[in-house]
Every structure is written in structure tokens, then in C-alpha cells.
Amino acid sequence: MEVVDFKVKALRKVSITPQMAAEWLEHRNTINPRKLMPSHVSYLAKIMREKNWMQDHPVPITFNEDGNILDGQNRLAAIAQIGIAVTMSIYTGCPSIVSEHIDSGVSRQMYYRVNLTGAITSNKHNVETVNSAIILNSKTKKDVRQTPMRIHEVFNLNKSGFLFGSSVMLHKLHGVRTATCAVALSEYFAISPAKATAFKIGLMAPVTDIESAQYLRNKLSGDRMEKFERYYWCVFCMNAHLNNTSVVGKFFRKSPDWGDYQPMIDTFYQNC
């Protein structure tokens, strides 16, 4: 086990073993008033387990002159949890007064951290669309915190589709300007760019001769519905347009069983 002199003021990289992390948490986390955040620890553990942790992370694990932890307890807990050594920067001998200024800024949303370029849509809309695609196709109805690597991975699977679909979020009509609708459009675009483009134009226009687009527009803007139900309706109407069938007089179950449900396209997100 590497020996660390906590009294020396220094910044250096250390291979932190699970044993070191557990020992520091037990004996050097006595004055930290903040509690561990289990959800954040799990998130960090997932990144480390998948070997996506950046060794050049700009914020070191920080100890004061007495060797007590000022910042980094969740990272140490994640290392102890996964049972694998992780190389990180540590800063020892830091004045205790620094703790009054740690984490005092504004937390960064995912769309500030991940840059998905697009000529028309904003980065915020792009990231929200990709995140919704992961949630919708996971079929868990649980909003799990995603890693930047996962956002990039899924975005690259259908990049042109996501850029196309997320532009609908610039629309002013309530219900239409949602990430859920953008996801369905991105999947439709992957199947048929020409038909998806025609459908989106009809969806965003006040009046259109595309029956299924007008029907969906009225449905989304008129009814209050949760994410999955809105997605079902988008898929239902887009499939009707794709297959040149009518939606008039058709009834769609409000909460279809997952076993009976088929999305527009299910090959992109099988591992979400």
C-alpha cells in the first residue's frame, strides 16, 4: 500500500486501492459534515467499473493538514464498492478553511457537460432527446442518471436522426415540443428520412393534409399524458403514416402491455 504523507502540501497522482479508500473513509472522514450520497456513489462506481473514469480529473481528493478528508468521499466510497484500484489526483496539506468554498458553485446539467453538435438544434435539446431515448427504450419507466460516455454512445448510433428529431423542440405548441416526440421522430427518420420529414412538416403546421400528423398534433396538444403514453401515440400515428393507413376510428389502449408493444425501431437501444 502506498504511503501518503498528509502533512506535506502537495498535489500528486496515487493509485488508490479499495483498502486505502475504505481506511481513509473510516479514519480520515471524521470532520466532514456531509453525508455520503448513495445514488452518486453508484453513478461514480459505474463509470469506474466501465473504465471511463478520467485520471486527469481536475478536482483532486483533498485532505487538510491533519489528514482529514475535505472533498472526495463519494469517489473513495465508489472505489471501495467496486473493489478495483483507481488512479486519482490527491491534494494533501490543504488549509481547512478551503472546505467553506468547496461545491459552492452551480451544479452542471448534462447538456453543459456533453457537447452534441447540431446546426439547427440547441445542445440542450440534443442531450434531452438522447436521454429520453435511453429511458423510453429501457422499458423500466425509471429515470436513471446517465454517464457522458453513454450519451455519446447512443447519440452516435442515430446521429442524423437525433439532430432531425430534436429540432421539433423548437416548436411553440405544448405537447409537440417534447423530447418524447423528438425521440419518435428520430426513429422514424432512421426508417425513412423522406416520410419522416413530410410527417414533421405536417405535425408542425397549423393545417395539413397529412391525417395522422394532424391527429397526433391535436392529441398531444389537447391531452395531458405522461412520457410513455405520449411516446405510444407518436409511434401509433407515425406507423400509420409509414404504412399509409388511417387513424380515424382507431382506438389505442392508454397503457398497452410491454409484451404487446413494438416501438418504431428497436435495434438501436437494446443494451440501454
Side-chain angles (χ1 to χ4, degrees):
M1 183 182 295
E2 186 170 349
V3 178
V4 177
D5 188 346
F6 294 98
K7 295 184 179 297
V8 176
K9 193 171 186 177
L11 176 65
R12 58 194 179 279
K13 285 186 178 179
V14 174
S15 178
I16 303 175
T17 66
Q19 293 76 17
M20 292 169 65
E23 181 181 327
W24 290 351
L25 285 171
E26 182 178 358
H27 300 292
R28 299 188 178 278
N29 200 33
T30 57
I31 66 169
N32 193 339
R34 297 185 301 167
K35 296 181 179 179
L36 286 171
M37 300 172 60
S39 61
H40 188 52
V41 171
S42 297
Y43 171 75
L44 294 173
K46 178 182 178 182
I47 294 177
M48 296 175 190
R49 191 180 297 111
E50 295 173 353
K51 301 188 183 303
N52 289 326
W53 180 261
M54 297 182 66
Q55 292 187 13
D56 294 328
H57 192 285
V59 181
I61 294 177
T62 306
F63 300 84
N64 69 1
E65 309 96 324
D66 298 321
N68 291 307
I69 298 170
L70 297 182
D71 190 35
Q73 60 175 353
N74 289 302
R75 281 169 280 172
L76 292 172
I79 294 174
Q81 183 180 112
I82 64 173
I84 302 173
V86 179
T87 299
M88 291 187 180
S89 295
I90 68 168
Y91 181 34
T92 55
C94 181
S96 296
I97 191 68
V98 170
S99 64
E100 297 181 4
H101 306 281
I102 293 175
D103 292 338
S104 60
V106 178
S107 61
R108 298 186 179 216
Q109 298 293 333
M110 184 64 76
Y111 53 82
Y112 289 132
R113 300 164 58 196
V114 178
N115 182 23
L116 305 178
T117 58
I120 300 176
T121 57
S122 72
N123 189 60
K124 180 176 185 290
H125 294 158
N126 291 333
V127 173
E128 287 178 349
T129 301
V130 174
N131 191 59
S132 287
I134 296 173
I135 295 170
L136 288 164
N137 286 276
S138 68
K139 300 184 178 181
T140 63
K141 299 193 176 184
K142 184 179 180 180
D143 192 351
V144 179
R145 185 180 180 187
Q146 302 300 326
T147 65
M149 290 292 292
R150 187 58 179 150
I151 295 292
H152 279 293
E153 179 185 358
V154 174
F155 176 70
N156 289 330
L157 292 174
N158 187 19
K159 182 175 180 178
S160 58
F162 283 124
L163 294 177
F164 168 83
S166 61
S167 63
V168 78
M169 297 176 71
L170 299 172
H171 199 282
K172 296 182 179 181
L173 188 62
H174 171 75
V176 173
R177 61 167 196 255
T178 61
T180 308
C181 185
V183 171
L185 281 169
S186 72
E187 295 172 345
Y188 195 1
F189 186 84
I191 297 171
S192 174
K195 298 204 74 169
T197 299
F199 187 91
K200 187 176 80 167
I201 292 173
L203 181 65
M204 299 176 73
V207 180
T208 178
D209 58 357
I210 300 178
E211 175 199 87
S212 53
Q214 184 68 57
Y215 187 86
L216 180 61
R217 176 188 170 91
N218 294 338
K219 185 71 180 175
L220 294 179
S221 62
D223 294 357
R224 293 178 62 88
M225 56 183 80
E226 53 92 26
K227 182 190 296 283
F228 281 80
E229 185 184 355
R230 185 182 300 114
Y231 182 55
Y232 301 151
W233 278 107
C234 289
V235 170
F236 173 67
C237 293
M238 291 177 195
N239 269 323
H241 181 252
L242 177 67
N243 298 312
N244 299 314
T245 58
S246 174
V247 294
V248 176
K250 300 289 181 63
F251 292 94
F252 190 65
R253 289 183 298 170
K254 182 175 181 180
S255 300
D257 295 330
W258 279 116
D260 300 332
Y261 170 69
Q262 293 296 323
M264 285 292 293
I265 186 166
D266 59 2
T267 56
F268 287 140
Y269 321 105
Q270 289 179 354
N271 296 321
C272 292

